[in-house]
Amino acid sequence: MEVRVSVCIPCYNAENYILETLQSLLNQTYKNFEIIVIDDGSEDNSIEKIESMILKDKRIHLYKNNNNRGVAFTRNRAFELCNAEYIAYMDADDTAPPNRLELQVNFLDSHLNIDGVGGSYNIINEKGEFIQKVIMTAQSPEMIKATLLFRNCIANGSVMLRKRVIDEEQIRYDEEKKDLEDYDFWVRFVKNHNFINLSNILQNYRVTQESLSRKCANCEGNLRDQRFDDIHRYVLKERGYLLPAKEEQVYFCATRENGHISGLTEYFLLRRALWRINKFTSQKYPELRKEVLFRSRELYQEQKYQMLSSYFSKLRGKNKIY
């Protein structure tokens, strides 16, 4: 019987979690899969831990990068190593609920117009203890395409997609978009393909001190903001949105990770930019009109609240009595 699912796991210094990650896959209710683990130059005992699991289950396959190449390179390499109809993503420190693969395979088998499916997730700590449930509110293909105009709405570690899409269109992770390669990838994926988020929990996303440290290291300076701007510039251009330079810059500022605008001038420029985006959407993408309007209003209200909060904070500071 041919393997139908390849589960891809980039691994770097995950000795404390990789056994639990692999075991969560071996505990799946769906059994017809292989596990492709690519070690990205680990300096701990990750490889030894993985090899011990291979002795227990031959569905696990280990590959090694010559040195640390990063998660984007490693995921792209995994695409070349997968042989199955479907590709599922996992991170080396996360775990999967027992029915994850079964839910996704059944969904893709019965929805031939959908090429990718993700879901909601739990946040867990280093000990695997529950912290918070995150329900993905962008679920339909239309809402996902609309939301990606403003922010990422796909949990990469929860995803399963059709491999033929990767093979036919050669969609790859951009190594230059460090720490935002997921967002960039999905923006390009939904250009010609439908993606769905299920409300089901499909991932236990682990937050560790190491992951927080890596994220902080990737946020140095304004590089992360520049990467957000590059992604949003691509979205605007690819979908045909034309904004005047000042409005475009305010849109970039508002759609960064911790984006905010300041002052009435930027506030009105953002309102004008969102008006143009919604007008063009109604003309060219009428099927997305309601969704883009909803996300535009959401962003507008967020920025309005931040601007007013900043204004009143400054006002209280000026009126202090010493």
Side-chain angles (χ1 to χ4, degrees):
M1 183 171 59
E2 290 188 2
V3 173
R4 295 199 67 203
V5 180
S6 293
V7 183
C8 303
I9 306 178
C11 178
Y12 178 70
N13 289 349
E15 65 174 355
N16 293 329
Y17 312 109
I18 189 63
L19 292 181
E20 186 179 355
T21 298
L22 293 173
Q23 190 60 54
S24 76
L25 291 171
L26 299 182
N27 291 340
Q28 291 292 300
T29 55
Y30 184 84
K31 302 298 182 182
N32 188 13
F33 63 88
E34 64 177 355
I35 302 173
I36 305 293
V37 185
I38 303 180
D39 184 78
D40 191 28
S42 292
E43 298 171 340
D44 61 4
N45 294 318
S46 293
I47 290 177
E48 288 79 3
K49 296 288 182 70
I50 298 165
E51 289 174 338
S52 72
M53 292 296 287
I54 292 175
L55 295 175
K56 298 179 181 179
D57 199 307
K58 298 302 180 183
R59 289 177 295 176
I60 304 171
H61 308 282
L62 174 63
Y63 299 87
K64 304 172 187 177
N65 292 340
N66 292 330
N67 48 58
N68 182 244
R69 299 294 302 271
V71 69
F73 173 91
T74 305
R75 285 180 181 150
N76 289 338
R77 186 183 177 200
F79 289 151
E80 309 302 324
L81 296 169
C82 293
N83 299 307
E85 178 183 359
Y86 299 139
I87 298 175
Y89 295 165
M90 279 280 288
D91 289 330
D93 52 0
D94 296 342
T95 62
N99 63 342
R100 175 198 161 169
L101 298 183
E102 181 178 10
L103 283 171
Q104 292 180 297
V105 168
N106 289 342
F107 184 89
L108 291 175
D109 281 350
S110 58
H111 297 79
L112 300 182
N113 62 321
I114 304 296
D115 290 323
V117 56
S120 300
Y121 61 95
N122 290 327
I123 299 176
I124 60 175
N125 64 16
E126 295 177 339
K127 297 179 180 179
E129 298 167 336
F130 174 83
I131 298 176
Q132 180 183 354
K133 179 185 293 186
V134 179
I135 300 297
M136 305 305 282
T137 58
Q139 296 183 0
S140 69
E142 294 77 18
M143 183 57 86
I144 287 171
K145 288 180 181 179
T147 305
L148 287 170
L149 187 59
F150 304 102
R151 57 178 173 82
N152 190 17
C153 58
I154 296 174
N156 204 72
S158 74
V159 165
M160 181 181 289
L161 50 82
R162 300 185 194 275
K163 186 174 188 291
R164 64 167 174 77
V165 173
I166 301 300
D167 292 340
E168 292 171 2
E169 300 206 17
Q170 292 294 301
I171 306 173
R172 294 294 184 269
Y173 287 93
D174 187 344
E175 295 181 50
E176 298 299 318
K177 299 294 192 303
K178 190 174 182 181
D179 206 39
L180 290 177
E181 61 277 332
D182 296 354
Y183 187 10
D184 178 77
F185 181 90
W186 296 117
V187 162
R188 298 174 190 276
F189 184 92
V190 303
K191 178 181 178 181
N192 297 315
H193 303 279
N194 288 326
F195 191 98
I196 285 276
N197 273 325
L198 303 178
S199 58
N200 305 73
I201 299 297
L202 299 181
Q203 175 190 17
N204 295 311
Y205 175 73
R206 194 186 306 269
V207 177
T208 68
Q209 192 58 48
E210 291 84 356
S211 64
L212 291 174
S213 298
R214 284 197 301 271
K215 185 172 182 179
C216 290
N218 291 332
C219 292
E220 290 182 0
N222 63 353
L223 289 179
R224 189 171 172 84
D225 286 344
Q226 291 176 16
R227 294 176 190 129
F228 268 109
D229 293 352
D230 288 344
I231 293 170
H232 293 141
R233 186 177 291 108
Y234 169 82
V235 176
L236 292 179
K237 182 178 179 180
E238 184 273 320
R239 299 190 188 181
Y241 294 102
L242 297 175
L243 299 178
K246 290 184 178 180
E247 292 178 20
E248 182 181 70
Q249 189 56 46
V250 170
Y251 159 81
F252 288 159
C253 290
T255 53
R256 292 167 184 165
E257 185 172 42
N258 298 306
H260 68 278
I261 57 175
S262 58
L264 286 175
T265 300
E266 289 190 352
Y267 174 73
F268 286 115
L269 283 171
L270 177 63
R271 187 168 72 173
R272 188 69 177 175
L274 295 176
W275 176 81
R276 291 185 197 276
I277 288 173
N278 280 279
K279 182 180 179 181
F280 185 78
T281 299
S282 297
Q283 294 171 349
K284 188 172 182 180
Y285 307 107
E287 71 280 5
L288 301 180
R289 180 180 62 83
K290 291 182 180 179
E291 289 79 5
V292 170
L293 179 60
F294 177 84
R295 289 307 186 197
S296 296
R297 287 175 173 171
E298 183 180 62
L299 177 66
Y300 181 72
Q301 292 300 326
E302 287 173 356
Q303 295 301 317
K304 180 180 178 180
Y305 175 79
Q306 288 185 18
M307 184 188 70
L308 291 175
S309 296
S310 177
Y311 172 77
F312 286 115
S313 178
K314 290 179 181 178
L315 192 63
R316 284 194 297 270
K318 287 181 180 179
N319 293 333
K320 274 187 177 180
I321 300 176
Y322 295 95

